[in-house]
Amino acid sequence: MSTVKLYVKWQDYAHVMKDIEESGVRYYPIRRYALGGTAGYRFELDEHPIVSFLILKYDLNTLNSEQPHVY
């Protein structure tokens, strides 16, 4: 199954994590990440309908493999 990487701002972390746990989607280790000088986290999730919901609800950015891992 393919995965999606999302950038989550630190202030949205608790809300996003709660939604992920309630959905039952499989996720991988969460890593600290900086995007454009803003601290946050990189979430990697299996493809699941919750991904679209999270992107829209929290205005999340998707990450590609070419972007550098800062932390």
Side-chain angles (χ1 to χ4, degrees):
M1 183 171 245
S2 93
T3 62
V4 178
K5 294 175 185 165
L6 300 173
Y7 171 74
V8 178
K9 294 176 187 169
W10 68 269
Q11 61 265 33
D12 294 330
Y13 174 84
H15 301 291
V16 171
M17 195 65 205
K18 180 182 175 203
D19 288 342
I20 289 172
E21 289 176 346
E22 288 176 357
S23 75
V25 65
R26 181 179 176 167
Y27 61 93
Y28 299 89
I30 299 162
R31 307 211 187 276
R32 289 177 33 177
Y33 196 88
L35 182 65
T38 305
Y41 299 90
R42 186 193 80 182
F43 281 69
E44 186 171 356
L45 309 168
D46 283 341
E47 283 189 7
H48 187 276
I50 191 73
V51 174
S52 299
F53 170 78
L54 294 172
I55 289 171
L56 293 172
K57 182 174 181 182
Y58 298 105
D59 194 28
L60 303 181
N61 294 317
T62 57
L63 302 172
N64 60 33
S65 59
E66 288 82 36
Q67 291 173 319
H69 186 326
V70 177
Y71 291 113

